[in-house]
Structure formats: structure tokens, C-alpha cells
Amino acid sequence: MTRTFAEARSAAATSVTTTVETALQRAEAHQDLNAFLELFHRSAREQAARVDARMKAGDAGPLAGLVLSIKDNICYKDHKVGAASRILEGFTSLYSATVVERLLAADAVIIGRTNCDEFAMGSSNENSAFGNVLNPLDKTKVPGGSSGGAATSVAADIVHVALGSDTGGSIRQPASFTGTVGFKPTYGRVSRYGLIAFASSFDQIGPFAHNVADAAAVYNVMAGHDQKDSTTSRKPVENATLQHPGKLRIAYYREGLERAGMDPEVVAHLQAHIDRLKAEGHTVEPISVPLLDHQVPTYYILATAEASSNLARFDGIRYGHRSKNAKGVDETYRLSRTEGFGPEVKRRILLGTFVLSAGYYDAYYGQAQRVRRIIRDHTLAAFENYDLILSPTCPGTAFGHGEISDPVAMYLQDIFTVQANLAGVPAISLPTGKHSNGMPFGVQLTGKPFDEVRLLAASAEVFGC
Ligand code: GLN
């Protein structure tokens, strides 16, 4: 199987069936990575045969030959989905997410669902009820999270593209840790219908790939208004064609270079990009991150508040796990949730319920909403003068399993990624860094709302990804 979809398209001689068989075999050969919770052998083979027939007839869709994985929080009709949680064990999806429908209609083949942090809560994929995912570049390291299985399915050359979800960095951080491209579109550009909700005002679906061209091919098919998700925008979608964007005005964050705790090699790499971009004639200027030290707390107050509400539906009555030890209704709720949710999910539900409770609502939730607005306003103001913002994706490279046990230290992984979700703007992690410790790392480019075309073009043509 070719590494990228772009190569697969030019080597059109191989049948989709052969490509899919190879992908399934590779997934099985790499079972130790624990990237897949399930392979969809039957539906993948059926779809491959249909696409082969359409290719023969000359009416195949734009993604014919593309092999895809989906994160275990994206619904695919008649397939299991569980957000890597015990509480949804055995649950089968009754409908498909809009992204799944659009990708299948474009002739992509979905080969399986990938492991992730439970309900997408985490930065290391150590919170899955079904075990850690291993980083294929160094199995002693985490692949990042929460979309760790998605990132690994691409990095281990099992699929061309993986769909993940990004609420506070869950596509970009694992992309940085695994040397892949990870792209979060503007909030509202891609339908969330059929995505198991974590924090609805932050969640966004996006692709992982080996290159920007593949990510863009999938983005072009997924993007656009959806009647089933009223938060999707009606702005027309421009196809991302990756034409050179010309001379750019690029801002970079001072804090990305100066903040304590930054890996010096990540800093040096960022500086090298800045020098190169200047030498190429782009305008490159430093700005400050708005309220940097408030971003992670603001995100964790609002995301947990939304999660506590979204996860109330998992009650042991309507979906998935129901406690066998419970007598009566109250105990059914209590024990089903106690047995079904893992410790990080419980922590977030408690935190979210607390910040929404009558006595604390204004001090925490209300205040965080106001801070979010300020961060968004500052972010949008920067885009009056600049086309793009450059920053590190993460402070360092992939860490070891069990190395970060303090939740707050783990939350600080998200220091450079939550801004895009707080402000609702698009951002991408590009795998341009290689550390002397052998691990890759990314740089992050953030764009204006709905300016994906320029963001992706700059990623491909100015950053060579
Ligand atoms: N690491 C962040 C969290 O745990 C982001 C998760 C995500 O983007 N889904 O909330």
C-alpha cells in the first residue's frame, strides 16, 4: 500500500480491494500498538468492491482509493461505537455521522475505529478503558491524546487518513507526537452530527495524514453546512487547492520562544522557521498570546461544565452498560455510572458540576465565559494585521507511559492548543521538527475563521508539508 493517498491516486493500477486488504493486514500485524478497537473487515471489503466497480465504470468519487480510520467517538451506522468507555460497551450506532456519510459517498473506505482517551478526555491516550496506545516511533512513549489511536493509525502507515476530534488539542498534539499532519478546521465548518459530544462549543472533527494534500482532500469532502447540525456555517466552502499563497504576514508568539518549561530544541526549531520565513520575504513579527496563563484554566472550566451536561445522558437506562448489582432506579443510575466511567471522566463530571452549581456559577462558569470572549476578541484582532499565527504545537516531544501523573501537569500539555478552540479558529500541526532524542515534533499554524484555504496552502507550500 502506498503511504499517501496522493501516491495511491497516481498509482491507479492497484485495486481498492488490494489496498484495503493490505491495510487490514498491516493493522493486524501492528496489534501491539493497540491503535484499533475494532477492524470493520466486512463493511470495508464490501465498500472496496463497490468502489472498484465504480472505478471500472469510470464514475468513482474523489476519494476512491483512500483508506480511512475513524476515532471511536464518530458514529457509523450498524457499527459499534463507544468513546473508549465501558459505559458504552456493546453499543451499536443507529445512524452515521454526517462526515462518515460524506466520506463514504466520495468513495473512501473506513477500515476500523481507533482507540482514544475515554470520551476524548486526555492528552496521552492513557485514559482509554481499553488500554494505552503505543507510539509507533517509540513504543515506550505515548502517542498523545485524545486521538492517540487515530494518530498512530497514520504514523504506522496503516491508513492514509484518520478522523479525530479536537476539543482542546486532541488532533494537533498527537500529530506533533507522532510526526503527522493534524488539522482542526474552524468551529462550524465541519458537521458534528454523529460525534459523541464532549464539549459542544469546542468539539470539531478533523483529519490526520502524512501530508497536507491528503488532509485537504478529506477536508474538502467533509466541510460545509449540514441541516443536522445547526452550529455549522452556511458560508460557502472554497475547495482547498494548495496554490502558493504568496507573501504572507505571519505573527509568532513571543511566549513560544520565551516561556519557562519549553524544550530548547523546540524553541530553536521555531526560531529557525522565523528566520527562514523572513529570508523568504514574508513579514514575520512577534506578538503576545492573549491571557496565556488563563487559557488552560478557562478551557478546563468550560469544557468540564459542558461535559457534565453532555454526559448526563449515560445513565444506564438509555445506552450501554447497566449495573447488574443495582436495585431500584436511583441505584441503577448511580452504580451504572460508577462502574461505567473511568477516573478522569468522573473527575471532569465532578468539576463541571461544581462550576455550574448555584453558589459557584458566576465565580467560575460565568467568569470563564467572559475570559473566553476576551481571548476570542484578542485572537480575532491579531488577524486584522496578520494572515497566520505561528507557535509550537506542544512544549516538548512525546513523553513516556506513566511519566505525567499529575492531572494539572497533563492539562498544561494543552497550553498552545486550547486557544484555537476557545476562539473557534482553524489550526494545524505540521511535522517539521526532529528532536535529538529521536522523536518528531510539530509547529502550529493558526488561521482566520473560515480561511482554511490559505492555512492549508501555506502549510503545503510555505512549510513544505
Ligand atoms: N487534552 C484536552 C483535554 O483533555 C483536549 C482533549 C480534546 O481535544 N478532546 O480536554
Side-chain angles (χ1 to χ4, degrees):
M1 188 177 124
T2 55
R3 207 160 155 259
T4 66
F5 174 53
E7 288 159 12
R9 259 200 295 215
S10 41
T14 340
S15 74
V16 178
T17 298
T18 311
T19 308
V20 166
E21 287 307 328
T22 313
L24 290 168
Q25 279 162 18
R26 280 192 68 84
E28 274 159 16
H30 286 293
Q31 260 176 18
D32 61 323
L33 298 173
N34 202 22
F36 282 87
L37 291 175
E38 186 184 354
L39 290 170
F40 301 146
H41 290 100
R42 199 162 61 108
S43 57
R45 286 179 177 138
E46 286 167 2
Q47 169 80 346
R50 277 193 295 271
V51 179
D52 274 330
R54 279 197 280 275
M55 285 180 72
K56 222 173 239 156
D59 63 354
L63 298 183
L66 181 109
V67 181
L68 190 76
S69 67
I70 55 176
K71 184 174 176 178
D72 191 32
N73 59 358
I74 297 173
C75 294
Y76 183 3
K77 190 176 188 319
D78 298 329
H79 293 72
K80 288 201 176 111
V81 64
S85 178
R86 292 263 173 235
I87 206 146
L88 274 169
E89 214 170 348
F91 179 75
T92 299
S93 198
L94 302 172
Y95 57 84
S96 287
T98 297
V99 292
V100 165
E101 277 181 356
R102 289 186 183 178
L103 293 169
L104 289 176
D107 285 344
V109 177
I110 300 172
I111 66 156
R113 58 185 171 109
T114 54
N115 203 348
C116 56
D117 283 306
E118 187 178 359
F119 284 100
M121 297 174 184
S123 304
S124 64
N125 218 123
E126 294 168 295
N127 296 334
S128 166
F130 303 99
N132 292 4
V133 176
L134 311 187
N135 190 317
L137 306 171
D138 176 351
K139 293 178 189 172
T140 69
K141 302 273 190 327
V142 303
S146 64
S147 317
T152 294
S153 72
V154 172
D157 289 332
I158 297 168
V159 296
H160 297 128
V161 176
L163 288 192
S165 65
D166 190 312
T167 304
S170 277
I171 293 176
R172 291 159 287 150
Q173 185 252 21
S176 181
F177 280 14
T178 57
T180 53
V181 170
F183 173 43
K184 181 199 92 75
T186 310
Y187 183 82
R189 182 78 297 181
V190 171
S191 173
R192 290 179 295 112
Y193 179 76
L195 170 69
I196 296 176
F198 161 12
S200 309
S201 77
F202 297 83
D203 297 341
Q204 193 59 185
I205 293 173
F208 288 87
H210 280 297
N211 60 24
V212 174
D214 285 6
V218 163
Y219 164 77
N220 285 339
V221 169
M222 289 195 299
H225 179 256
D226 177 18
Q227 264 189 341
K228 293 173 180 157
D229 174 1
S230 62
T231 63
T232 51
S233 168
R234 290 181 182 273
K235 269 194 208 334
V237 183
E238 242 184 285
N239 248 8
T241 50
L242 312 183
Q243 309 286 7
H244 197 291
K247 296 286 175 251
L248 296 165
R249 298 167 305 162
I250 303 175
Y252 65 91
Y253 285 134
R254 267 188 208 98
E255 293 83 351
L257 297 175
E258 290 167 4
R259 202 182 145 77
M262 291 295 301
D263 185 308
E265 290 189 37
V266 172
V267 172
H269 179 73
L270 202 67
Q271 187 62 55
H273 271 300
I274 294 167
D275 297 343
R276 171 186 65 83
L277 292 165
K278 282 185 186 160
E280 288 174 5
H282 302 285
T283 305
V284 189
E285 290 169 353
I287 60 170
S288 269
V289 188
L291 303 178
L292 182 62
D293 291 329
H294 292 75
Q295 288 192 13
V296 168
T298 302
Y299 166 78
Y300 276 93
I301 289 171
L302 297 175
T304 57
E306 294 186 25
S308 73
S309 159
N310 275 327
L311 271 58
R313 71 188 65 158
F314 302 103
D315 54 10
I317 307 286
R318 283 174 284 190
Y319 315 91
H321 175 77
R322 180 179 302 171
S323 176
K324 300 210 170 30
N325 309 313
K327 291 178 212 71
V329 177
D330 284 2
E331 211 179 42
T332 300
Y333 289 153
R334 190 156 43 78
L335 287 184
S336 300
R337 285 168 71 82
T338 302
E339 294 165 10
F341 290 133
E344 181 63 24
V345 174
K346 285 179 186 155
R347 177 165 29 244
R348 305 248 184 149
I349 292 172
L350 287 172
L351 202 60
T353 307
F354 174 77
V355 299
L356 287 172
S357 60
Y360 296 99
Y361 181 92
D362 204 53
Y364 292 108
Y365 185 76
Q367 188 70 356
Q369 287 282 48
R370 288 186 281 274
V371 176
R372 181 182 194 180
R373 169 49 65 98
I374 295 170
I375 292 167
R376 178 176 162 81
D377 289 349
H378 279 290
T379 308
L380 297 184
F383 285 121
E384 283 167 19
N385 302 317
Y386 300 100
D387 304 312
L388 296 167
I389 301 173
L390 176 66
S391 65
T393 307
C394 306
T397 54
F399 45 88
H401 296 274
E403 194 178 317
I404 301 185
S405 53
D406 171 37
V408 176
M410 190 67 92
Y411 297 170
L412 283 171
Q413 277 297 313
D414 306 333
I415 181 108
F416 294 113
T417 51
V418 291
Q419 183 181 358
N421 307 79
L422 286 162
V425 297
I428 189 164
S429 179
L430 302 170
T432 60
K434 180 96 184 145
H435 200 278
S436 62
N437 66 15
M439 297 308 284
F441 60 92
V443 290
Q444 176 173 246
L445 270 188
T446 304
K448 291 181 196 181
F450 301 103
D451 197 16
E452 279 85 357
V453 170
R454 178 155 36 191
L455 178 64
L456 293 169
S459 301
E461 292 297 320
V462 180
F463 286 78
C465 293

